[in-house]
Amino acid sequence: AQKPKPVPTTAMAASLADAAAQEAKGDSAAAIRTYRSICIEASPSQANAQATEAAIAKLCALYTKQHDANALAKMLTELRPFFAVIPKAKTAKLVKNIIDAVAKVPNTTKLQVQLCREQAEWAKAEKRSFLRQRLELRLATLLLELCDYAPALTLITRLLTEVKRLDDKLLLVDIHLVESRVYHALRNVAKAKAALTASRTAANAIYVPPTVQAHIDMQSGVLQAEEKDYKTGYSYFFEAFEQLGALDENVLALR
């Protein structure tokens, strides 16, 4: 089969406009076909990266609206030729965004686990350590949600050994935080507190995004409540609630 020819940027811009018009008319099927022609069927090119990324975002939104988790999952494989021609950091962001889109579809936790495993294996084969580490952390978080604690701890232990050598403080904050949650689920409060302290120590050395700080405060509140220090626990919960409320993270805030 012949390789598809690169589509000129101007033609891609026109196709994006066509797809937007189809979407505005309510013809989602036609819009999906057009977006796919831009980001999947056309030959991948760095020159057309901006239009391709725009089409990917629109396609994700349409599939999410239709609750088509399988189509979203398929995109991760279909887009690999495009991932090969763009910077690794952009690839990591796009993979994260697509898995985030899958997460918005109800009852997809097991599918997310499968995707994280598959994409982590691909990232390992492609020597994309930055992406693999973040996928494995997400996988550990999903395993925690599924109460599959032993594999989650195995992943976390290996990640901690690797990331400590790299001195990636922000990733260390997240890993220790998940570690604390796993140990708390296992009713090992002492180890949960030690992991949370390690998370806070790493966080104190860098700027931490407000969402991450809110998660640290939430876990602090949980562990204080475990020790029946409800007043301190309440102050942590209130701090987390205010931060998440200010960020419009209403679902997390109400948890």
Side-chain angles (χ1 to χ4, degrees):
Q2 284 188 337
K3 276 190 172 182
K5 293 180 181 179
V7 179
T9 306
T10 50
M12 277 200 166
S15 295
L16 277 172
D18 289 343
Q22 290 160 347
E23 198 176 342
K25 290 176 184 175
D27 193 349
S28 297
I32 285 171
R33 284 194 300 272
T34 307
Y35 286 133
R36 284 183 62 82
S37 73
I38 298 167
C39 65
I40 292 169
E41 292 162 15
S43 180
S45 164
Q46 177 67 48
N48 295 328
Q50 192 172 352
T52 305
E53 287 170 40
I56 291 168
K58 292 287 189 180
L59 192 55
C60 275
L62 281 170
Y63 281 146
T64 304
K65 190 177 178 182
Q66 295 177 351
H67 286 192
D68 196 342
N70 290 325
L72 286 164
K74 195 177 175 185
M75 283 178 69
L76 288 166
T77 306
E78 291 175 323
L79 287 168
R80 283 179 185 175
F82 177 61
F83 294 156
V85 300
I86 61 172
K88 289 182 177 181
K90 272 194 176 179
T91 296
K93 184 180 178 183
L94 287 171
V95 170
K96 176 187 178 297
N97 289 347
I98 293 170
I99 298 177
D100 283 347
V102 174
K104 291 175 185 174
V105 180
N107 306 314
T108 57
T109 305
K110 288 185 178 179
L111 176 60
Q112 291 172 63
V113 168
Q114 178 191 327
L115 291 176
C116 285
R117 283 190 169 127
E118 289 174 356
Q119 295 306 307
E121 283 300 315
W122 172 75
K124 184 179 179 181
E126 294 286 315
K127 295 182 170 54
R128 296 170 182 257
S129 298
F130 179 90
L131 174 58
R132 176 185 55 77
Q133 289 158 359
R134 281 146 187 83
L135 285 166
E136 288 180 342
L137 176 58
R138 185 169 192 145
L139 175 57
T141 307
L142 290 164
L143 291 171
L144 168 61
E145 287 179 22
L146 292 171
C147 303
D148 204 352
Y149 304 126
L153 273 179
T154 301
L155 262 177
I156 288 165
T157 303
R158 182 163 56 75
L159 274 173
L160 281 172
T161 304
E162 186 179 343
V163 175
K164 279 177 182 174
R165 288 200 301 267
L166 299 172
D167 200 30
D168 186 335
K169 289 279 196 301
L170 186 55
L171 188 54
L172 273 176
V173 170
D174 289 333
I175 296 170
H176 280 303
L177 192 52
V178 176
E179 181 188 26
S180 178
R181 291 174 60 204
V182 173
Y183 277 125
H184 175 250
L186 290 168
R187 311 307 301 158
N188 191 331
V189 177
K191 284 192 173 181
K193 285 179 70 178
L196 182 62
T197 299
S199 182
R200 281 190 174 282
T201 301
N204 287 339
I206 55 167
Y207 166 76
V208 175
T211 308
V212 176
Q213 185 59 54
H215 282 291
I216 292 172
D217 288 337
M218 277 201 290
Q219 183 65 5
S220 300
V222 167
L223 295 182
Q224 291 295 333
E226 283 286 0
E227 297 191 321
K228 296 183 168 48
D229 186 353
Y230 301 119
K231 187 175 180 180
T232 306
Y234 170 80
S235 69
Y236 278 122
F237 285 137
F238 188 75
E239 190 71 27
F241 174 80
E242 282 199 317
Q243 288 182 79
L244 291 169
L247 293 167
D248 259 350
E249 295 280 359
N250 295 329
V251 175
L252 277 173
L254 290 171
R255 282 171 62 185

